[in-house]
Amino acid sequence: MASYYAIAVLSMLAVSIAIGHALDEKTLSTTLYLKQSFTEEQRTLATDTVIINWVLKDGPNASANTLGHAEGLTTHADPAKNYWVTIMDMVFEGGRLAGSTLKVMGLHGSIHDSNDGHGQWSVMGGTGELTMARGIINYKIIQEDGASRTFELCIYVYYTSTQRI
């Protein structure tokens, strides 16, 4: 009989913990801009693989504030469609998210591809204020020429505040 009471108490405890953590979840919904310079913030590692350190800004113009960098790798996955697989950490160095990161992965093409420069990336983790982040980034390439490309990033993520950990 005592074991039934123990199971009931443990079940109620597990449910209350799960409900408590679900209520602690926060959301981030913001628009940022990623500037890819073909000659400056990246270097070739191997054929069709590039190490990136693209600039993350709060606006599309050159005068916009730099908030951090997207650091990682991009690989030419489908040369026929000009699609690249990109795996990066968005490292926030300024603004309210300074000291935080987002782990991001997905495909991107060019402004001239079949999606007209639109796409979506996965957010699969984060650190700092964005601990345990998960969500999506809808991107649109808003500028592209022979020297650079600018992505408009609409970021939608859920995360757990570091105050609860």
Side-chain angles (χ1 to χ4, degrees):
M1 186 68 140
S3 63
Y4 292 115
Y5 289 117
I7 292 172
V9 169
L10 289 175
S11 297
M12 288 189 302
L13 181 61
V15 168
S16 68
I17 289 172
I19 290 171
H21 285 297
L23 297 176
D24 293 339
E25 201 166 68
K26 294 187 175 188
T27 59
L28 173 67
S29 177
T30 190
T31 300
L32 299 176
Y33 297 83
L34 192 60
K35 181 76 170 191
Q36 175 188 10
S37 174
F38 302 133
T39 58
E40 294 176 23
E41 286 93 20
Q42 60 187 40
R43 68 181 191 277
T44 302
L45 177 65
T47 304
D48 292 336
T49 301
V50 178
I51 298 170
I52 63 171
N53 189 24
W54 301 338
V55 179
L56 193 59
K57 294 183 164 262
D58 64 1
N61 303 324
S63 62
N65 297 315
T66 298
L67 299 178
H69 292 84
E71 303 169 352
L73 293 171
T74 188
T75 301
H76 208 190
D78 188 346
K81 294 182 180 177
N82 197 30
Y83 284 140
W84 293 76
V85 173
T86 302
I87 302 167
M88 62 185 152
D89 286 332
M90 289 187 176
V91 179
F92 295 94
E93 299 158 351
R96 69 180 183 91
L97 297 174
S100 300
T101 67
L102 287 176
K103 178 69 76 180
V104 178
M105 183 171 73
L107 287 172
H108 74 83
S110 74
I111 202 167
H112 307 291
D113 68 20
S114 61
N115 294 328
D116 295 324
H118 291 78
Q120 192 173 80
W121 294 330
S122 298
V123 176
M124 305 165 301
T127 63
E129 181 59 30
L130 300 172
T131 296
M132 296 172 39
R134 64 219 174 278
I136 60 168
I137 297 174
N138 291 319
Y139 73 81
K140 177 181 176 183
I141 299 171
I142 59 170
Q143 175 277 326
E144 184 174 340
D145 57 31
S148 67
R149 177 183 292 144
T150 302
F151 296 86
E152 179 182 67
L153 310 177
C154 296
I155 301 171
Y156 306 97
V157 296
Y158 295 97
Y159 65 95
T160 301
S161 172
T162 55
Q163 297 169 356
R164 298 294 300 169
I165 298 176

